[in-house]
Amino acid sequence: MFSLIGLMVGLVFLGMFLSTKKKKGLRTACLLLVLLVFCGAAKPQKNYLKISDDQMTTDKKGYVTIKGKTNPKAKLKIDGEKVTTKKNGKFTFTYQLKKEKKKSVPVTSKHGNKKLKKQVKVEASKKYKKVLVKQEKKAKQKKQKKLATEKKARELKEIQTALALAQKEPTRENFRKAQKIVSESKQSQQEDSDQLKEIEGKVKEQELVKSIENSIVTAENSLTRNDYDTAVREKQKLSHDNNSFNQRLETVNQKIQQAEAEEKAAKEQEAAQQVENTEMVLVTPTGSKYHNRVCGRGNYTEATLDTALARGLEPCSKCY
């Protein structure tokens, strides 16, 4: 842009002096002057970068002032931050060390296709080093406090999750997991222990219900008085009544009673048959009948009814 302006100014002056009727020497001198101005305007300016001090020590608050000079048209950055230069290319930039005790700060200047880069070594002063140590200690304590808070939150969430699962599915396994988490955590409260007791009661009741169910199934399959009595004893351990169990046990009891009655009748019939078969009758050596008294002539002897029947004897029509 400056080259174009210089060219235009030079052409204006050239026209003015050529139109005047002055001496030839004066016109020549003016022409040379215009050419010099044009050449100076058209000549590109080189990029450069100068740093006043490339090794610096901070003040007690960690600040340093970086000074230097570069091409006024250049794009200047210090530690990645854009810096505005003065018209003459000079610049001043206040920089602060954050956490580092020592750092090489990059300073870059770009003009056209040419980019220059230098490093300013900044080191913390003794007073600022003490400040950094305090800040580091404070940051460490803050981090530890944050970690402790996060750990506490994780443990509380873990307790809540385990208890919620055990409440929803009160199995022995879920109860033991929740119990282990609560007992090992420093964040557990009395209400967690109370909740565990409630869950344990549900687990025991669920296990008892399962045991009763198994006992009733056994009694239903065997239909024996012993298995029925075992199922009744298990059922009596329940803290509340269960109509389903009551009905099933009553059905089993009725079937057992029926079986017992049938068995008793069968035994009584068998006993009566045995008594009948052991009845004493009178027989003769050659007779074809058995008698309950002396009936006619013959040599009568006593024999059991079984023996008489075994001989093929028939009851006497006069005696029976």
Side-chain angles (χ1 to χ4, degrees):
M1 182 177 179
F2 287 107
S3 299
L4 181 60
I5 294 172
L7 177 60
M8 292 173 65
V9 172
L11 291 175
V12 170
F13 275 100
L14 178 61
M16 291 173 60
F17 281 103
L18 287 177
S19 62
T20 59
K21 296 180 179 181
K22 291 183 179 182
K23 295 181 179 180
K24 185 178 181 180
L26 180 60
R27 288 198 301 270
T28 303
C30 290
L31 180 60
L32 291 174
L33 178 61
V34 170
L35 291 174
L36 288 172
V37 171
F38 171 73
C39 292
K43 184 179 180 182
Q45 296 182 359
K46 293 183 178 180
N47 192 22
Y48 60 92
L49 179 61
K50 295 180 181 179
I51 304 296
S52 301
D53 190 357
D54 60 0
Q55 292 187 348
M56 308 183 74
T57 302
T58 68
D59 60 14
K60 62 181 180 179
K61 293 184 178 180
Y63 290 98
V64 293
T65 302
I66 300 175
K67 297 180 180 180
K69 188 175 182 180
T70 187
N71 190 312
K73 301 177 183 178
K75 294 180 179 179
L76 182 67
K77 287 185 177 181
I78 298 179
D79 200 30
E81 185 176 343
K82 291 182 180 180
V83 179
T84 303
T85 62
K86 296 181 180 179
K87 293 182 179 180
N88 58 2
K90 290 184 178 181
F91 59 86
T92 300
F93 181 77
T94 302
Y95 177 80
Q96 183 187 28
L97 281 176
K98 299 296 183 182
K99 298 179 181 179
E100 309 90 342
K101 294 181 181 179
K102 188 183 295 185
K103 183 179 179 180
S104 291
V105 180
V107 181
T108 60
S109 174
K110 185 178 180 182
H111 178 56
N113 296 327
K114 191 169 184 180
K115 184 176 181 180
L116 301 176
K117 184 176 181 180
K118 289 189 177 183
Q119 300 284 343
V120 178
K121 295 182 179 180
V122 180
E123 184 175 356
S125 63
K126 291 182 178 179
K127 290 184 178 180
Y128 188 57
K129 284 180 180 178
K130 292 181 180 179
V131 173
L132 288 176
V133 170
K134 289 181 180 179
Q135 288 179 350
E136 185 178 355
K137 185 177 180 181
K138 188 175 180 180
K140 188 176 181 180
Q141 291 174 344
K142 186 177 179 180
K143 184 178 180 181
Q144 290 176 342
K145 186 177 180 180
K146 182 181 177 182
L147 292 174
T149 303
E150 291 175 349
K151 183 181 179 182
K152 180 180 179 180
R154 283 196 306 271
E155 288 185 3
L156 288 173
K157 186 176 180 180
E158 190 177 12
I159 290 173
Q160 292 171 358
T161 302
L163 289 173
L165 177 61
Q167 282 280 19
K168 185 179 179 181
E169 301 176 14
T171 63
R172 179 63 61 178
E173 181 182 2
N174 289 340
F175 167 73
R176 285 174 178 169
K177 285 182 180 179
Q179 186 182 43
K180 184 174 185 294
I181 292 172
V182 171
S183 62
E184 292 179 353
S185 176
K186 295 180 180 179
Q187 309 306 325
S188 60
Q189 305 293 327
Q190 180 61 42
E191 60 184 17
D192 299 327
S193 300
D194 296 340
Q195 197 171 351
L196 272 177
K197 290 180 180 179
E198 180 183 344
I199 294 171
E200 186 177 19
K202 291 182 178 180
V203 171
K204 288 181 177 179
E205 183 175 352
Q206 190 178 71
E207 291 174 343
L208 178 58
V209 168
K210 187 175 181 180
S211 176
I212 295 171
E213 173 67 25
N214 293 336
S215 298
I216 293 176
V217 169
T218 301
E220 287 172 335
N221 292 331
S222 68
L223 292 178
T224 63
R225 180 62 61 183
N226 184 52
D227 289 339
Y228 168 78
D229 290 341
T230 300
V232 170
R233 286 194 297 271
E234 284 295 300
K235 188 261 175 188
Q236 289 174 345
K237 295 178 182 177
L238 269 180
S239 58
H240 59 278
D241 210 2
N242 187 303
N243 291 331
S244 176
F245 287 162
N246 291 340
Q247 292 174 1
R248 290 170 66 186
L249 285 172
E250 179 61 26
T251 300
V252 171
N253 186 41
Q254 290 175 359
K255 289 182 179 180
I256 291 175
Q257 288 177 344
Q258 182 180 353
E260 288 174 342
E262 291 174 355
E263 183 181 2
K264 182 179 179 181
K267 286 182 178 180
E268 289 177 349
Q269 184 178 0
E270 183 181 354
Q273 187 68 35
Q274 289 177 353
V275 170
E276 182 180 349
N277 291 344
T278 56
E279 180 184 352
M280 300 303 293
V281 295
L282 295 175
V283 298
T284 61
T286 58
S288 61
K289 308 290 183 181
Y290 63 85
H291 312 267
N292 61 6
R293 57 185 174 82
V294 176
C295 183
R297 296 179 181 179
N299 185 17
Y300 289 90
T301 56
E302 284 188 343
T304 62
L305 181 57
D306 282 344
T307 303
L309 292 174
R311 287 173 55 186
L313 302 181
E314 297 178 354
C316 174
S317 60
K318 295 180 181 180
C319 297
Y320 298 95

